[in-house]
Amino acid sequence: MGQEGFRILFVCTANICRSPMAEAMARETLSPHGTRVIVESAGVFGHEGSPIAPGSGAALDALGVVHAGHRGRMLTHAIVDGSDLILTMEVAHRNMIATQQPAAAGRTFTLREFARLVAGEPAPAGTEFADRARLLVTAAHLRRAQRPGIDDVPDPYGGPADGYHVCATLIRSELDIALGPLGK
């Protein structure tokens, strides 16, 4: 897990659409915490070196979120091992990580699942961002089976422009809930 602070990893299929949008939005939201939080993304079938999908870039532009320089990358065991919180875009991504790396299962959630599990949670006690974040991950893991729901973020890849905007709006909404207890 992350040594220099708290490391959040977003995962989707190719790392050119949903996870880069989530990464850019989370990075912007968490920027006041500086180097105490590292935000990254990867794909289970990552398009290594590919730029963000044009529709995803346009959706982020419409929201005023900076995303320049993204390059897709493949999810590896080392990336998972170095992450304190892994937020996937689909249940299939979460299950793949948990199956291949069982030690990561307790810190791997879909974005929507994590948001649901921490919704309304007060900011955890602790002075350091990383301490508060780890307490929140533990709380979410402990209540995972108690709160089932819809967990996938629909993939807009290859669809119309408005699909990317709907996806970006959903990700933004879920991130606001998921990251709210950490303080902005």
Side-chain angles (χ1 to χ4, degrees), residues 94-102 105:
R94 180 195 67 201
N95 292 347
M96 178 185 221
I97 292 167
T99 299
Q100 292 180 359
Q101 292 180 253

Side-chain angles (χ1 to χ4, degrees), residues 2-3 5 16 18 30 65 96 111 133 137 172:
Q3 298 301 313
I16 60 169
R18 295 170 289 175
L30 296 171
V65 177
M96 178 185 221
L111 171 62
V137 171
R172 168 70 82 192

Side-chain angles (χ1 to χ4, degrees), residues 6 8-10 22-23 25-27 29-30 33 37 39 85-89 107-124 129 132-141 143 147 151 153 169-184:
F6 190 82
I8 300 173
L9 174 67
F10 291 97
E23 176 187 5
M25 289 181 213
R27 185 173 285 130
T29 298
L30 296 171
H33 298 289
V37 62
V39 181
L85 173 60
I86 303 157
L87 297 173
T88 69
M89 297 297 124
R107 62 184 192 276
T108 305
F109 306 85
T110 69
L111 171 62
R112 296 182 81 182
E113 173 188 32
F114 190 75
R116 186 175 62 254
L117 293 172
V118 302
E121 184 77 17
F129 177 89
R132 293 193 321 269
R134 285 184 183 91
L135 288 170
L136 194 64
V137 171
T138 300
H141 175 68
R143 64 172 68 109
R147 299 183 185 174
D151 290 328
V153 172
T169 301
L170 174 62
I171 291 171
R172 168 70 82 192
S173 174
E174 296 295 332
L175 281 172
D176 287 348
I177 297 166
L179 301 178
L182 295 176
K184 294 183 181 177

